[in-house]
Amino acid sequence: MEQPSHTITYTLEEKEYDTPYYSIRQNYPQQYQGTNIPLVIDNGSNQCRAGWANEGTPSMIFDNVVARYRDRKANVNVVTVGMDAQSDPSSRSSARSPFDGNVVCDFDRMETVLDYIFTVLGITTSTIEHPLVMTEPVCVPQYSRNLMSELLFECYNAPSVTYGIDALFSHYANGGENEDGIIVSSGHNSTHIIPTLQGKGILGKAKR
């Protein structure tokens, strides 16, 4: 039986671009090096997307899980991320998400995920020279955000980090920067209802 091709089709400027659901793409464009083009990480509890802010589609999409196990045949410790973490029974049984619900709690695994993102994008230096934009859920605990900031600044020497609620980013991207309305953000673990007034999220009235 033919295996399904896991692809997601994006439409951009009336042209179709087929992006593999999972692919190793070590692509650090030369024109981006030494610039301040932001690197965007949509850090979801189910899937993670990462890419450059000036591109219409993410460079990579993968399941946000990390597996650590010992390969007895090769007698080595193995760490896998994304679809690799679910490729065989040994890794699948140890695959864990950095999230507890929709909040990052395991920052050891989160560091592995970030290492994977930067390596696949071809950034192999110890310092990330680009500003980072990272999504987060509604009302993320300040303690969790502090640990994330500590990881990004101290481990990767990021020049700056901007956090934003994924649902509000989507609202603005779809022309809602001056609109009143209600956002229904249905995620993998929870659904958030966020009212907006002139494009600004009224988080005090948000519901989970």
Side-chain angles (χ1 to χ4, degrees):
M1 181 180 295
E2 184 179 356
Q3 295 295 322
S5 58
H6 298 281
T7 61
I8 297 175
T9 301
Y10 299 93
T11 301
L12 182 65
E13 296 178 354
E14 299 181 354
K15 296 180 181 180
E16 287 191 348
Y17 296 85
D18 291 334
T19 300
Y21 173 82
Y22 177 79
S23 63
I24 298 297
R25 177 182 165 184
Q26 291 188 345
N27 182 16
Y28 188 15
Q30 187 174 4
Q31 66 269 25
Y32 293 175
Q33 299 178 23
T35 68
N36 62 349
I37 295 175
L39 180 59
V40 182
I41 301 175
D42 183 10
N43 192 31
S45 60
N46 181 42
Q47 285 188 333
C48 185
R49 298 170 175 84
W52 303 100
N54 63 332
E55 295 185 355
T57 59
S59 299
M60 54 191 301
I61 304 172
F62 61 94
D63 293 345
N64 207 345
V65 292
V66 177
R68 295 192 178 104
Y69 64 99
R70 185 164 187 80
D71 189 330
R72 296 182 178 180
K73 293 183 179 179
N75 196 30
V76 293
N77 294 322
V78 180
V79 179
T80 55
V81 180
M83 292 298 289
D84 284 342
Q86 305 187 42
S87 59
D88 62 71
S90 297
S91 59
R92 194 180 308 121
S93 62
S94 63
R96 300 289 185 275
S97 171
F99 287 78
D100 184 1
N102 63 345
V103 177
V104 177
C105 293
D106 188 339
F107 283 89
D108 189 26
R109 279 188 163 83
M110 190 69 246
E111 183 178 352
T112 302
V113 170
L114 292 172
D115 285 344
Y116 175 77
I117 290 173
F118 299 139
T119 300
V120 171
L121 291 178
I123 304 174
T124 57
T125 59
S126 59
T127 298
I128 305 301
E129 299 178 350
H130 299 269
L132 298 178
V133 178
M134 180 171 284
T135 63
E136 62 180 17
V138 178
C139 299
V140 64
Q142 187 64 39
Y143 177 71
S144 178
R145 183 185 292 172
N146 289 343
L147 290 178
M148 182 68 77
S149 298
E150 181 180 337
L151 175 63
L152 294 173
F153 286 121
E154 296 190 7
C155 186
Y156 301 102
N157 298 308
S160 64
V161 179
T162 299
Y163 298 103
I165 297 173
D166 49 5
L168 289 177
F169 277 156
S170 178
H171 181 61
Y172 300 150
N174 286 280
E177 62 271 12
N178 296 313
E179 298 293 331
D180 301 343
I182 296 177
I183 300 172
V184 180
S185 176
S186 186
H188 184 68
N189 288 293
S190 59
T191 296
H192 292 96
I193 311 297
I194 308 173
T196 63
L197 185 62
Q198 296 182 350
K200 182 178 179 180
I202 311 301
L203 300 183
K205 301 295 183 181
K207 302 294 182 182
R208 178 177 298 173

